[in-house]
Amino acid sequence: MRVQVAIVGAGPAGLLLGALLHRAGVDAVIVERHSPDYVLARIRAGVLEQTTVDLLDEAGVGRRMHSEGLLHDGIELCFGNARHRIDMKALTGGKHVMVYGQTEVTRDLMHAREAAGLTTVYDANDVSLHDFDGARPKLRYTAGGATHEIECDFIAGCDGFHGVSRASVPASAIRLYEKVYPFGWLGVLSETPPVAHELIYSNHERGFALCSMRSLTRSRYYVQCSLDDKVENWSDAAFWDELRRRLDPEAAESLVTGPSIEKSIAPLRSFVAEPMRFGRLFLAGDAAHIVPPTGAKGLNLAASDVGYLAGALAEYYGGSEHGIAHYSERCLRRIWKAERFSWWFTSLMHHFPETGAFGQKMQAAELDYLVNSVAASTVMAENYVGLPLEH
Ligand code: APR
Ligand code: PHB
């Protein structure tokens, strides 16, 4: 097979890149290790910045998002047994976020790709990348008992943190930056109405908690837990009780509980690989960076990466190499600002026993300043709704 672009990974980054390239008349194939059901079963955050909403519209997959997604003008910070609203819309001159689950974004992109008759190879094993430091890169994989080769002009590594693309780059050619946080998030999905109209981020001495949602009938909740905690240690009742203890009295009282339909523990890390281009191989999304989920930036960074990459590749086929030459630096300017915000918000909202009583006083003082200063709230708001795209 020969294509212009071979995409590794059919998560949000790979699928959105494929859709944007199709719109630009660039032919691409996606090679995915797992099945469509496996990809859709991954539960991930669902807070979309306007730049992500715009890219999904540009890709032609925004219809269901606009009809089923929830527009949120603010978030609430809970500390000292009280909730404080950050009015993001007022503080950012009218901006908001769209709450629409990543699973639904992925489903919409999958269906659109299938409807357009575009090729996605699922259940591809032993994917390997070749000759991307030259002009004729190749992708090889096994499927159905046979080995297949794809000749292409470019490879897009959209295969996530544990993918093969970044691992195929010589160690001498790449710099890695990483911070692992000393706790995890225990998450529960339930067919229950959300406890509040907007998301609640709680700083509590027992640990962080987050009240989020997928719709008006499906809720997503998290509590900070220790890294050696196990899902099997947490009954639904124990989870609901712990969540209540980390919320203000009104939220604790109005929380509607029910059986968990998904329960899992995820670690938190900050990670960036530099650069993001290696000859004819481009990294995008989680393959190049990871953020702690506190700031809900993971999907949004994946979207802006592939928005830049799709434009750069379309420019290349239009005769200009400017976009591909500046892809990495353009992505990284946006990535590092989102990494900073995600690290800051994580450091502010979680319980760090190692920082002691002084550390907790610093958090309390910063939260008091944040909710009582227009300047501080504006900084929070403009980062949460998403900074402008880099040019
Ligand atoms: N070969 C082919 N496909 C692979 C390989 C491989 N060797 N390794 C991984 N994949 C696939 C995975 O099965 C997955 O479907 O690549 C896809 C990567 O998708 P994600 O991990 O979701 O990464 P990305 O598309 O960048 O989306 C980032 O997803 O994980 C969340 O929080 C993250 O919201 C962010 C978003
Ligand atoms: C979620 O809904 O899963 C979610 C929302 C906001 C976050 C993290 C996760 O910051």
Side-chain angles (χ1 to χ4, degrees), residues 174-391:
I174 196 167
R175 289 181 305 283
L176 306 179
Y177 303 84
E178 184 167 38
K179 174 181 178 59
V180 178
Y181 296 86
F183 41 74
W185 278 16
L186 167 64
V188 158
L189 196 63
S190 57
E191 284 299 343
T192 55
V195 69
H197 297 299
E198 295 173 329
L199 273 58
I200 302 174
Y201 290 80
S202 179
N203 171 301
H204 191 277
E205 62 185 4
R206 296 179 64 86
F208 169 80
L210 170 59
C211 302
S212 182
M213 62 193 78
R214 293 291 176 269
S215 70
L216 298 180
T217 59
R218 178 171 284 199
S219 297
R220 180 67 168 168
Y221 295 106
Y222 300 93
V223 295
Q224 174 183 348
C225 64
S226 65
L227 274 177
D228 54 11
D229 214 337
K230 300 276 184 287
V231 172
E232 47 271 22
N233 295 341
W234 288 86
S235 67
D236 285 0
F239 177 85
W240 295 124
D241 177 55
E242 187 60 40
L243 177 63
R244 277 199 193 88
R245 297 171 78 166
R246 299 188 188 187
L247 297 175
D248 61 286
E250 183 208 349
E253 175 65 31
S254 52
L255 180 68
V256 176
T257 65
S260 59
I261 53 178
E262 193 274 345
K263 194 189 298 179
S264 55
I265 291 180
L268 278 73
R269 81 175 72 236
S270 299
F271 173 85
V272 179
E274 286 190 358
M276 292 169 59
R277 176 193 181 187
F278 308 89
R280 295 235 173 185
L281 167 63
F282 296 90
L283 300 181
D286 274 15
H289 44 74
I290 296 287
V291 283
T294 322
K297 293 300 171 196
L299 178 55
N300 293 297
L301 284 178
S304 49
D305 287 353
V306 299
Y308 295 151
L309 184 53
L313 292 172
E315 261 183 48
Y316 170 83
Y317 289 108
S320 165
E321 298 209 10
H322 181 272
I324 58 174
H326 295 280
Y327 166 76
S328 184
E329 67 180 275
R330 189 179 176 199
C331 285
L332 287 166
R333 278 205 306 274
R334 181 171 171 83
I335 288 159
W336 277 115
K337 283 181 259 191
E339 289 282 350
R340 182 211 65 81
F341 171 69
S342 304
W343 159 80
W344 167 80
F345 200 21
T346 301
S347 305
L348 177 64
M349 298 306 290
H350 289 74
H351 184 61
F352 293 79
E354 64 277 18
T355 60
F358 182 80
Q360 288 179 33
K361 281 292 188 185
M362 287 297 98
Q363 284 186 341
E366 182 157 10
L367 284 164
D368 180 14
Y369 170 62
L370 176 56
V371 300
N372 289 296
S373 158
V374 171
S377 297
T378 302
V379 169
M380 164 90 207
E382 72 172 5
N383 279 277
Y384 194 91
V385 300
L387 299 177
L389 291 177
E390 302 287 343
H391 292 288

Side-chain angles (χ1 to χ4, degrees), residues 9 11-13 32-34 42 44 102 127 158-159 164 285-286 299:
E32 163 59 46
R33 173 165 66 178
H34 289 299
R42 280 196 295 258
R44 293 285 192 280
Q102 177 172 312
V127 174
C158 300
D159 46 345
V164 65
D286 274 15
L299 178 55

